[in-house]
């Protein structure tokens, strides 16, 4: 039998490595980026960016990936060829992200038409753990629905679906109070995007 080799995201960063100024990204920070991206399939994201600090004494670098249609299928485990590594899916955060992506694709859930993408951010301030654990940002602007999702619908979706899926528990009364206070503090035409 023939086994397919899945390209990983580190190849992208290796390709741009010669063009990354050492004054912005140290060799050590780049090595940490490669340690993380070596574990992620290249098809996971078509958009990545590197976030570096401009202070001379702060070498921290983060990498952020935009996850949309194909990436969510991979994370959800619904791509027949490309999967996340088993050791990642054994981690509770990755399991929650997988469950979120499955719910995001479920036509019975309100997420399908109200979430455009998610961002996974890996903070690389120290050597990568065996399982890189990202922070997650949910882009709830627009989605597939025209003319878009109202702000009140976004607030309800965040409270009733997004946070419970990511926390694996309902949003408690104190968190609901804080969310409501934040939403009510927004200027009149502000939009919740991420």
């Amino acid at each position: 039998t023939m086994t397919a080799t899945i390209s990983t995201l580190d190849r992208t960063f290796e390709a741009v490595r010669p063009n990354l100024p050492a004054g912005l990204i140290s060799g050590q920070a780049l090595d940490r980026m490669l340690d993380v991206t070596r574990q992620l399939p290249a098809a996971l994201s078509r958009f990545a960016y590197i976030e570096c600090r401009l202070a001379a004494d702060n070498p921290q670098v983060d990498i952020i990936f935009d996850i949309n249609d194909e990436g969510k299928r991979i994370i959800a485990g619904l791509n027949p060829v490309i999967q996340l590594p088993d050791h990642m899916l054994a981690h509770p955060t990755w399991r929650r992200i997988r469950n979120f992506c499955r719910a995001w694709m479920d036509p019975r859930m309100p997420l399908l038409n109200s979430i455009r993408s998610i961002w996974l951010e890996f903070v690389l301030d120290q050597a990568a753990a065996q399982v890189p654990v990202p922070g997650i940002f949910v882009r709830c602007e627009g989605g597939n629905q025209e003319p878009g999702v109202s702000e009140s619908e976004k607030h309800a979706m965040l409270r009733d679906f997004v946070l419970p899926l990511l926390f694996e528990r309902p949003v408690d009364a104190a968190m609901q109070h804080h969310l409501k206070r934040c939403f009510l503090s927004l200027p009149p035409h502000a939009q919740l995007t991420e």
Side-chain angles (χ1 to χ4, degrees):
T1 66
M2 196 165 146
T3 303
T5 301
I6 303 300
S7 181
T8 53
L9 281 166
D10 63 308
R11 294 176 68 184
T12 301
F13 289 94
E14 285 286 7
V16 299
R17 181 181 215 155
N19 300 309
L20 296 173
L24 284 179
I25 301 172
S26 70
Q28 185 181 26
L30 186 56
D31 288 343
R32 289 194 301 259
M33 284 192 324
L34 295 173
D35 287 344
V36 169
T37 56
R38 194 171 291 117
Q39 300 178 60
L40 300 171
L44 186 66
S45 179
R46 292 188 176 152
F47 183 85
Y49 74 88
I50 301 169
E51 182 179 85
C52 56
R53 309 311 183 266
L54 297 178
D57 61 343
N58 190 345
Q60 182 175 336
V61 174
D62 304 335
I63 50 175
I64 300 145
F65 300 101
D66 182 40
I67 309 297
N68 51 38
D69 295 333
E70 188 53 38
K72 73 181 171 186
R73 288 180 51 76
I74 292 169
I75 294 171
L78 300 176
N79 182 304
V81 177
I82 304 169
Q83 300 287 319
L84 290 178
D86 290 339
H87 73 278
M88 291 175 87
L89 294 173
H91 193 281
T93 298
W94 278 106
R95 282 196 313 268
R96 289 193 299 268
I97 294 170
R98 171 169 268 188
N99 291 338
F100 176 84
C101 287
R102 286 179 174 166
W104 180 14
M105 295 177 65
D106 186 340
R108 298 168 296 173
M109 298 285 281
L111 306 178
L112 181 64
N113 290 319
S114 49
I115 294 180
R116 181 175 176 186
S117 66
I118 60 173
W119 293 88
L120 298 181
E121 179 176 14
F122 296 87
V123 176
L124 304 176
D125 57 351
Q126 55 190 349
Q130 181 181 0
V131 177
V133 179
I136 183 171
F137 298 86
V138 177
R139 293 187 73 194
C140 52
E141 59 194 15
N144 300 325
Q145 187 179 42
E146 294 297 331
V149 179
S150 73
E151 291 307 300
S152 62
E153 289 173 310
K154 290 178 190 177
H155 302 170
M157 180 195 55
L158 180 65
R159 180 193 65 228
D160 299 338
F161 295 98
V162 172
L163 292 176
L165 282 165
L166 293 173
F167 290 149
E168 291 187 318
R169 59 179 162 74
V171 175
D172 62 31
M175 175 69 82
Q176 286 188 35
H177 172 76
H178 291 299
L179 286 170
K180 184 176 182 178
R181 194 177 72 199
C182 289
F183 295 146
L184 291 174
S185 299
L186 292 172
H189 296 290
Q191 293 184 351
L192 181 65
T193 58
E194 293 178 37

